[in-house]
């Protein structure tokens, strides 16, 4: 039983990490129907910015709480700026192009950003300072769940709730939903669609950056390539839950995280990814639009 | 002249220009040593020290007038550690008429490139390709190396775990890679053969995954006294960190890919007490000292991975060419097998398989943030 | 109020509109009739800024708007009910109406207008918590018109409001269109394939053929025109 | 021509990029030794670079805009649609025949002109030409986004490696077997997933590609795991022993024959009944079904035929490198092949050939800049999509003229 609980928490941690990244994918897909391949790279850039800022601040002697807050802010701001710029340079000019063009552009952007970080920083792994201390009150549970796992879970939950509220109740959220459902009509009721799309990229990128910072601190190291693998997994999670659906992305992420964790624990980690992808294929075959995705009825 | 005629002429001219552009083959008055390996991309840090080593050795020889009056010329080619690129690299080196090659760096790339060298009758010496089959299969008589093979390393690890630490239950973990998995397979075999301990877990992890706590839980549940990990330091540090964070005291034994200062830097306090095999400490050897100092003087920092092995390869090859008095592969091979040469690892020659004698592994442990040799 | 001067619009390399000249006066209902593919919807899309014209000018109350973005044009008071209604399927009826008032900030005015559209179409009040996608075609048309009204438009562009609706519902909708024009003093630009019906409610009409305006006249005169009768009125 | 306003805008953009790249370009930290390296000069380069790039782009756009404005005001008659040079070359037999002849001659005598190394590189490029043409059937012609194409390539390569290892089958025997095996895999995968919508199809194929690679990596007993299979024989020629040079030249001509064969088949396919069905399917699925085209069968054929070429090239790949391991079949490979198709212009055979040659040869010759190779590669993809999304050569369908007008 203990073992089950341990695996369960390990799956939850994984799931919440995927969720933070998957949200960006799903929001962007929902609004412009694009698989934003460069999203994983934004996550990676967020982690790198966090590393640089936190190191500089700690060298300048800032106290830990200040470092955490400022680092999170800086990572979110810069990642958002990258997300915004990427959208403007690589996707906006292709708004009316055939479907595949923006996808190729995204793949190109992903390669570009990876190598940009590789050249500007380093190809090697860099140690990431543990921003989250080991809490004393967590000590009795340390065998099950670490302090940083706990922080990741809590942060993800809070962010999820905030995001849901934002989308449900604010003017921007409404504009996002309207744009996602019918872009032309959104324009006709006076929504500045370009603006909404930019905001979507900014929010998605900020979430990914927070995720990047949390995971980097949890795992303790980063390099330029972390975005690719995490990105593919998060994207799988988003599709699993029904891409375009925000609760779907969260659900898909947790299912994927738990599947991987239990597959490792009870079967073998050799085929961890095979399980993940097989699950995806199976679900899509039986529910072609993901778990919570809406089956689109093609109009004849 | 109509358009079609113009185009024909244009095309003919283009072909002519391209033909002219091919550099005239250089004369045969130099000894060409190919240096192949990953010089860009994420594995560059394993390949670049070899280039530097070859450059230093070549500079020395040329300063002293060359080998038998001929200057040494280095042909440096990048293979980014990819097999398909390595074949191109090898073909390029062969077509440029190399006499011998130092490289490749990764076992996979080496394996792909070797048949090309074999067919062209070129001697290859790798400072870092540790796959046992490269020498032991007998498929590549032209291949030599200045590093011990994985099975030797696995044997050191297993012996240490069983006899040194008295481990009874051992978990063998690997990163699914060529190097790590090969090592783990050997470790499993040796543990089974020893009869003194049991493999309680044998599994691969996915490099680059966001979290390894599930596998760590599994190790914990298996009740292993020791973990033998085959792979590189990024994954090792993640696993060790998560094990220690879960308050597990299981001994962690790993390989040369982990015996890297970056591992200690990344894993920090959690690295304490981790064992890793590595080439025997040769800092006392005068040749080692000489070249490390030269490196520091030329580049200002510490030499990286496989630098000593690369120096050994460069010295062994150039020595063999000098002693053989020609670049005839058979003559060079004869010298390599029979005559000792002074290298950072002491006096070495090569056995019938092409493995260097006297290059072995010893066990290190992290103590106070440093790798120290286990006595 | 609205004036199109030599407007030409393209889809890629294909020219859809050729030098359209057209005028809408304050408070009137004008209609644009024509066959399928004549460019009627394109004309509206050009006015709304969704497919901006490549040449020519569009003036609204004397001010050029052909280079403005779609949302700015809506802000000036030009609202369109597009062909096919384009209800936001996952938003409820109330939310759809709310989206119509996206650019407005006066809560009280919005509440008043909401009341007004609910009295125009009582069925919408009943269905206000249902997703827009679940409504019937006629109800969706009512919702689409109501949503546009929520923006308090000065000029309402209606694209094929009768499409796919039962004759009874169509008549009801046209009744309401006239009522809106009267009560709210909203200028209405009606694009319609059902020329008969359109010319009955309109003050003036234009006939569009393959991207060119061929005839324009008072609605009554058009209905009397032999060519129009033959081509569009089925007489 | 460039106004003060533009310069102001350029300054703002330069500032934006300086701020954007500030942490990554300027600061470099060593978190262990707690050292910060400030690289202020990078800031200057970024600023200057983006400033000049913007102005250059602006000046280039200006010319177009001025013309557009004149057209808008009716001052200038619209220019007649100019046929681009590339299209003129393809369409006009007077131009393309000698060009084709010259090209054919060039490729025929290539190994005589260039070194073995160059020939070797060219073989790789030609392999990608065939891969591109194969994927072109799936993505370009039938419009099915396949991100796991490399799986079929792997199937072919491993088919040769394993059949040779266990049963000693030769290259020529396995070449068709590899192709057919890959096609079978294509059908097996196709059956369940082809009813998925575009993007779901993309992700499932990506997952499939990964699954194949992971199985090859983990199933040691079957595939020898990550260490791969070595000593795969090169293609034989009536049992004659060949030197390396000769066998590479031989492989080159074999590859040329393969390319010609592929072009011939693909060209015939595209203009056949099924080819028209593919194009139609790409444009409008529902209309196709309404016209009685069997959607599933048509898609499956596209999938299977695309996979078939990948399988054959896989066999050649194994024979060329004489070594296979799973590391050669990563997602990046699929991405590169996809880029070839898209850059070439979807559905255009000539475009795919040119794109494959450019994309594969250019990085080989830009080895000196190898560090920047992938960076430039990525940037080129984006720039191409933004400025010339239809690819190097836009696809021209055969037009059928009917008597009227």
């Amino acid at each position: 039983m203990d073992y089950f609980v341990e695996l369960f928490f390990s799956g939850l941690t994984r799931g919440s990490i995927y969720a933070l990244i998957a949200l960006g994918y799903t929001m962007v897909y929902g609004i412009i129907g694009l698989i934003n391949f460069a999203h994983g790279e934004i996550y990676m850039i967020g982690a790198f910015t966090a590393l640089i800022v936190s190191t500089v601040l700690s060298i300048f002697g800032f106290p830990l709480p200040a470092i955490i807050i400022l680092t999170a802010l800086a990572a979110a701001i810069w990642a958002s700026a990258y997300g915004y710029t990427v959208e403007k340079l690589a996707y906006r000019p292709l708004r009316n192009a055939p479907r595949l063009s923006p996808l190729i552009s995204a793949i190109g952007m992903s390669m570009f950003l990876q190598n940009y970080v590789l050249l500007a920083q380093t190809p090697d792994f860099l140690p990431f300072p543990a921003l989250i201390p080991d809490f004393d009150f967590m000590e009795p549970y340390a065998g099950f769940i670490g302090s940083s796992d706990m922080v990741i879970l809590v942060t993800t939950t809070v962010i999820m709730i905030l995001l849901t509220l934002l989308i449900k109740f604010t003017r921007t959220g409404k504009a996002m939903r309207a744009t996602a459902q019918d872009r032309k009509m959104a324009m006709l009721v006076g929504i500045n669609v370009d603006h909404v799309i930019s905001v979507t990229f900014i929010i998605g990128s900020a979430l990914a950056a927070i995720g990047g910072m949390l995971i980097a601190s949890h795992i303790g190291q980063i390099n330029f390539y972390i975005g690719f693998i995490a990105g593919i997994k998060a994207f799988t999670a988003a599709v699993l839950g029904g891409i375009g659906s925000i609760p779907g992305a969260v659900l898909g992420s947790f299912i994927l995280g738990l599947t991987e964790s239990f597959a490792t624990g009870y079967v073998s980690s050799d085929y961890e990814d095979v399980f993940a992808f097989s699950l995806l294929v199976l679900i899509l075959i039986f529910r072609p639009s993901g778990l919570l995705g809406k089956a689109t009825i093609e109009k004849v | 002249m109509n358009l079609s005629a113009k185009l024909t002429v244009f095309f003919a001219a283009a072909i002519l220009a391209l033909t002219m552009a091919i550099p005239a083959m250089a004369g045969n008055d130099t000894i060409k040593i190919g240096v192949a390996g990953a010089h860009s991309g994420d594995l560059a840090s394993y390949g670049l020290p070899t280039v530097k080593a070859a450059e230093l050795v070549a500079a020395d020889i040329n300063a002293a007038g060359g080998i038998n009056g001929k200057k040494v010329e280095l042909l440096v080619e990048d293979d980014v550690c990819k097999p398909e690129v390595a074949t191109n690299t090898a073909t390029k080196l062969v077509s440029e008429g190399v006499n011998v090659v130092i490289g490749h760096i990764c076992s996979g790339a080496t394996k792909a490139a070797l048949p090309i060298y074999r067919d062209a009758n070129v001697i290859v010496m790798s400072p870092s390709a540790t796959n046992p089959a490269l020498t032991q299969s007998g498929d590549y008589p032209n291949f030599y190396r200045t590093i011990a093979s994985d099975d030797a390393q696995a044997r050191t690890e297993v012996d240490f775990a069983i006899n040194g630490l008295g481990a009874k239950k051992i978990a063998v973990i690997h990163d699914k890679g060529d190097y790590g998995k090969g090592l783990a397979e050997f470790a499993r075999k040796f543990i089974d053969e020893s009869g003194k301990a049991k493999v309680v877990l044998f599994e691969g992890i996915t490099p680059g995954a966001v979290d390894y706590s599930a596998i760590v839980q599994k190790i914990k549940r298996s009740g292993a006294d020791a973990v033998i990990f085959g792979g590189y330091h990024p994954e090792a540090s993640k696993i060790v960190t998560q094990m220690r964070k879960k308050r597990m005291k299981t001994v962690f034994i790993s390989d040369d890919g982990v015996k890297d200062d970056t591992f200690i830097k990344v894993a920090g306090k959690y690295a304490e007490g981790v064992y890793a095999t590595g080439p025997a400490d040769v800092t006392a050897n005068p040749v080692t000292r000489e070249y490390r100092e030269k490196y520091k003087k030329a580049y200002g920092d510490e030499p990286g991975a496989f630098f000593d092995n690369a120096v050994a390869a460069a010295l062994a090859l150039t020595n063999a060419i000098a002693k053989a008095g020609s670049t005839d592969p058979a003559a060079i091979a004869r010298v390599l097998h029979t005559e000792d040469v002074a290298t950072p690892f002491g006096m070495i020659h090569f056995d019938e398989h092409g493995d260097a004698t006297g290059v072995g592994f010893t066990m290190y442990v992290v103590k106070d943030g440093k790798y120290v040799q286990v006595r | 109020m609205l004036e199109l001067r030599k407007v030409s619009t393209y889809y890629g390399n294909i020219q859809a509109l050729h030098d359209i000249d057209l005028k809408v006066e304050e408070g009137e209902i004008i209609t644009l009739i024509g066959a399928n593919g004549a460019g009627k919807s394109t004309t509206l899309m050009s006015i709304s800024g969704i497919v901006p014209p490549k040449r020519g000018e569009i003036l609204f109350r004397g001010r050029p708007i052909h280079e403005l973005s779609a949302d700015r044009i809506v802000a000036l008071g030009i609202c369109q009910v597009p062909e096919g209604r384009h209800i936001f399927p996952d938003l409820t009826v109330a939310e759809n109406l709310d989206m119509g008032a996206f650019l407005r900030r006066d809560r009280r005015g919005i509440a008043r207008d909401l009341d007004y559209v609910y009295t125009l179409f009582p069925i919408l009040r009943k269905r206000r918590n249902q997703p827009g996608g679940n409504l019937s075609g006629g109800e969706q048309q009512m919702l689409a018109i109501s949503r546009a009204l929520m923006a308090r438009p000065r000029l309402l562009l209606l694209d094929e409001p009768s499409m796919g609706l039962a004759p009874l519902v169509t008549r009801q909708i046209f009744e309401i269109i006239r009522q809106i024009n009267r009560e709210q003093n909203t200028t209405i630009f009606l694009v319609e394939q059902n020329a008969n019906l359109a010319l009955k409610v309109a003050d003036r009409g234009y006939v569009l053929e393959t991207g060119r305006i061929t005839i324009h006249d008072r609605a009554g005169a058009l209905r009397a025109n032999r060519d129009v009768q033959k081509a569009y009125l089925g007489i | 021509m460039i106004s003060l306003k533009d310069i102001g805008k350029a300054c703002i953009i330069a500032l934006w990029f300086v701020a954007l790249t500030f942490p990554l370009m300027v600061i470099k930290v060593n978190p262990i030794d707690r050292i910060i390296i400030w690289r202020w000069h990078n800031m200057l380069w970024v600023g200057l670079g983006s400033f000049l790039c913007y102005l250059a782009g602006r000046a280039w756009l200006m010319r177009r805009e001025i013309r557009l404005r004149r057209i808008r005001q009716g001052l200038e008659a619209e220019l007649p649609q100019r046929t681009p040079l590339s299209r003129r070359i393809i369409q006009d037999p007077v131009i393309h025949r000698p060009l084709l002849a010259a090209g054919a001659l060039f490729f025929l005598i290539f190994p005589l002109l260039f070194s073995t190394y160059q020939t070797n590189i060219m073989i790789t490029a030609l392999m990608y030409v065939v891969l591109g043409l194969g994927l072109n059937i799936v993505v370009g012609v039938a419009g099915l986004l396949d991100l796991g194409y490399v799986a079929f390539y792997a199937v072919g390569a491993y088919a040769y490696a394993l059949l040779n290892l266990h049963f000693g089958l030769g290259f020529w025997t396995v070449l068709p077997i590899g192709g057919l095996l890959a096609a079978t895999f294509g059908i097996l995968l196709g059956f369940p997933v082809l009813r998925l919508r575009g993007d779901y199809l993309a992700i499932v194929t990506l997952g499939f590609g990964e699954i194949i690679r992971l199985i090859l990596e983990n199933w040691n007993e079957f595939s020898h795991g990550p260490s791969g299979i070595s000593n795969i024989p090169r293609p034989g020629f009536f049992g004659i022993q060949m030197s390396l040079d000769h066998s590479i030249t031989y492989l080159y001509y074999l590859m040329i024959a393969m390319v010609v064969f592929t072009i011939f088949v693909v060209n015939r396919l595209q203009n056949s009944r099924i080819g028209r069905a593919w194009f139609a399917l790409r444009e409008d699925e529902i209309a196709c079904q309404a016209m009685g085209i069997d959607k599933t069968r048509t898609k499956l054929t596209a999938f299977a035929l695309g996979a078939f070429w990948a399988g054959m090239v896989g066999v050649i790949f194994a024979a060329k490198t004489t070594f296979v391991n799973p590391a050669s079949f990563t997602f990046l490979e699929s991405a590169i092949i996809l880029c070839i198709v898209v850059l070439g212009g979807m559905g255009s055979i000539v475009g795919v050939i040119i794109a494959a040659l450019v994309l594969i040869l250019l990085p080989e010759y830009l080895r000196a800049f190898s560090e920047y190779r992938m960076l430039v590669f990525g940037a080129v993809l984006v720039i191409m999509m933004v400025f010339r999304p239809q690819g190097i050569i836009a696809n021209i369908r055969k037009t059928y003229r009917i008597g009227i007008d």
Side-chain angles (χ1 to χ4, degrees), chain A residues 3 6-7 10-11 13-14 17-18 43 118 123-128 130 134 139 142-146 148-149 215 217-221 223-226 229-230 233 260-273, chain B residues 40-46 173-174 176 181 201-222 233-239 241-242 244-247 262 264-270:
Chain A
Y3 187 55
E6 283 165 4
L7 290 179
S10 137
T13 311
R14 238 175 218 246
I17 292 167
Y18 291 152
Y43 152 88
L118 182 149
D124 299 328
F125 272 92
L126 282 174
F128 195 98
D134 284 342
E139 193 54 39
F144 289 104
I145 176 169
S148 56
D149 301 64
I215 301 154
S217 163
H218 174 65
I219 287 288
Q221 54 179 310
N223 80 344
F224 71 95
Y225 201 62
I226 56 170
I229 297 159
K233 283 296 181 62
E260 287 185 357
S261 181
F262 285 125
T264 304
Y266 289 112
V267 192
S268 162
S269 68
D270 286 350
Y271 292 100
E272 174 188 286
D273 286 356
Chain B
S40 67
D42 48 344
L43 294 171
S45 57
Y46 291 111
I173 308 294
H174 60 85
K176 301 185 189 171
K181 193 170 183 181
L201 185 67
F202 183 85
E203 255 183 52
I205 55 156
T206 312
V210 293
D211 183 68
Y212 289 125
S213 49
I215 188 77
V216 169
Q217 300 289 7
K218 206 171 182 182
I219 297 171
K220 188 174 165 191
R221 190 162 98 131
S222 73
H233 62 80
E235 280 70 40
S237 59
K238 287 184 205 172
I239 294 172
T241 307
Q242 294 209 343
R244 301 297 181 245
K245 277 191 177 167
K246 295 222 186 296
R247 308 291 181 266
T262 322
I264 304 176
K265 284 181 186 164
V266 172
K269 62 176 178 186
Y270 301 115

Side-chain angles (χ1 to χ4, degrees), chain A residues 10-177:
Chain A
S10 137
L12 279 191
T13 311
R14 238 175 218 246
S16 35
I17 292 167
Y18 291 152
L20 282 176
I21 313 170
L23 282 171
Y25 273 114
T26 222
M27 283 163 69
V28 166
Y29 188 89
I31 232 154
I32 53 172
L34 163 72
I35 302 173
N36 180 12
F37 253 92
H39 188 62
E41 268 51 66
I42 299 288
Y43 152 88
M44 178 265 296
I45 285 175
F48 259 92
T49 312
L51 171 73
I52 290 165
V53 172
S54 65
T55 312
V56 170
L57 291 178
S58 87
I59 290 174
F60 287 160
F62 281 73
L64 189 63
I67 291 180
I68 294 177
I69 292 167
L70 289 175
T71 302
L73 267 179
I77 288 171
W78 258 288
S80 302
Y82 274 98
Y84 172 79
T85 313
V86 165
E87 193 271 325
K88 206 148 183 188
L89 288 181
Y91 307 148
R92 184 165 302 179
L94 300 174
R95 208 48 67 71
N96 298 315
R99 294 200 52 107
L100 275 179
S101 304
L103 185 71
I104 302 288
S105 185
I107 292 174
M109 207 60 199
S110 161
M111 282 159 74
F112 178 83
L113 289 177
Q114 255 179 41
N115 286 280
Y116 155 69
V117 174
L118 182 149
L119 293 169
Q121 293 285 317
T122 165
D124 299 328
F125 272 92
L126 282 174
F128 195 98
L131 293 174
I132 303 154
D134 284 342
F135 302 122
D136 290 337
F137 66 87
M138 287 297 295
E139 193 54 39
Y141 315 105
F144 289 104
I145 176 169
S147 299
S148 56
D149 301 64
M150 199 66 214
V151 171
I152 289 176
L153 272 175
V154 170
T155 315
T156 309
T157 316
V158 170
I159 285 180
M160 233 65 93
I161 292 169
L162 286 180
L163 188 68
T164 315
L165 293 179
L166 174 107
I167 294 207
K168 197 98 196 150
F169 296 112
T170 64
R171 210 174 121 82
T172 315
K174 277 184 204 159
M176 283 166 69
R177 278 193 293 162

Side-chain angles (χ1 to χ4, degrees), chain C residues 120-133:
Chain C
L120 276 183
F121 303 107
I123 185 83
L124 293 183
R125 191 193 295 272
K126 246 192 264 169
R127 299 234 189 276
R128 64 176 178 275
N129 290 324
Q130 289 187 12

Side-chain angles (χ1 to χ4, degrees), chain C residues 77-169:
Chain C
I78 302 179
C79 279
Q80 191 189 145
V81 178
E83 186 182 348
R85 307 185 274 270
H86 286 266
I87 298 300
F88 297 116
D90 295 341
L91 301 187
T92 62
V93 168
E95 283 174 318
N96 261 290
L97 290 173
D98 193 31
M99 286 315 305
F102 185 77
L103 290 172
R104 292 173 64 186
R105 306 263 185 190
D106 56 325
R107 277 162 188 266
R108 211 168 300 155
I110 294 175
R112 216 173 26 240
D113 286 344
L114 193 64
D115 243 26
Y116 177 70
V117 300
Y118 278 154
T119 45
L120 276 183
F121 303 107
I123 185 83
L124 293 183
R125 191 193 295 272
K126 246 192 264 169
R127 299 234 189 276
R128 64 176 178 275
N129 290 324
Q130 289 187 12
N134 289 2
L135 301 186
S136 74
E139 289 164 352
Q140 285 197 349
Q141 189 61 59
M142 295 174 193
L143 177 56
I145 294 174
S146 305
R147 182 178 55 191
L149 288 179
M150 290 302 291
R152 278 206 158 262
R154 292 182 180 151
L155 172 63
L156 185 61
L157 312 174
L158 288 168
D159 197 350
E160 307 271 2
S162 76
M163 196 172 71
L165 300 185
L168 207 67
V169 186

Side-chain angles (χ1 to χ4, degrees), chain B residues 170-184:
Chain B
I170 301 174
V172 180
I173 308 294
H174 60 85
D175 68 354
K176 301 185 189 171
D178 190 1
Y179 169 68
K181 193 170 183 181
L183 239 157

Side-chain angles (χ1 to χ4, degrees), chain A residues 29 33 35 37 45 48-49 51-53 55-56 58-60 78 81-82 84-85 89-90 93-94 97-105 107-109 111-112 115-122 126-129 228 232 235-236 239 242-243 270-271 273-274 277-278 280-281 284-286 288-290 293-294 296 298-300, chain D residues 16-17 19-32 34-36 38-39 42 139-140 145 147 189 192-193 195-204 206-208 210-211 213-215 218-220 285-286 295 331-332 335-336 338-339 342-343 346 371-372 374-379 381-382 385-387 389-390:
Chain A
Y29 188 89
I35 302 173
F37 253 92
I45 285 175
F48 259 92
T49 312
L51 171 73
I52 290 165
V53 172
T55 312
V56 170
S58 87
I59 290 174
F60 287 160
W78 258 288
Y82 274 98
Y84 172 79
T85 313
L89 288 181
L94 300 174
R99 294 200 52 107
L100 275 179
S101 304
L103 185 71
I104 302 288
S105 185
I107 292 174
M109 207 60 199
M111 282 159 74
F112 178 83
N115 286 280
Y116 155 69
V117 174
L118 182 149
L119 293 169
Q121 293 285 317
T122 165
L126 282 174
F128 195 98
F228 182 75
I232 292 242
F235 179 58
T236 306
V239 175
I243 193 157
D270 286 350
Y271 292 100
D273 286 356
V274 177
F277 287 122
S278 308
L280 175 81
V281 173
L284 286 185
I285 288 168
F286 292 107
S289 41
K294 278 178 54 110
T296 44
E298 286 179 73
K299 290 193 187 102
V300 182
Chain D
W16 170 259
F17 276 100
L20 187 69
T21 55
F22 175 74
L24 286 167
M25 291 293 282
V26 176
I27 313 174
K28 193 168 181 177
V29 294
N30 182 336
I32 300 299
R34 298 173 68 81
I35 300 169
I36 312 175
W38 300 91
R39 301 170 296 179
N42 281 345
V139 181
L145 181 50
L147 293 181
L189 169 74
V193 305
R195 62 199 194 96
L196 298 175
R197 275 212 333 269
D199 312 282
Y200 289 95
L201 181 71
I203 186 72
V204 169
L206 191 156
F208 175 72
E210 285 294 293
I211 289 175
R213 187 179 61 81
L214 289 166
I215 288 175
N218 287 301
W219 193 2
N220 266 20
E285 266 189 30
I286 289 158
K295 195 172 93 176
F331 169 67
L332 188 70
I336 288 176
L338 182 66
C339 291
V342 176
L343 281 187
M346 303 234 281
E371 285 183 15
Y372 298 94
M374 294 310 276
L375 187 85
V376 172
F377 202 47
L381 283 187
V382 177
M385 284 303 105
V386 172
F387 291 104
Q390 71 273 44

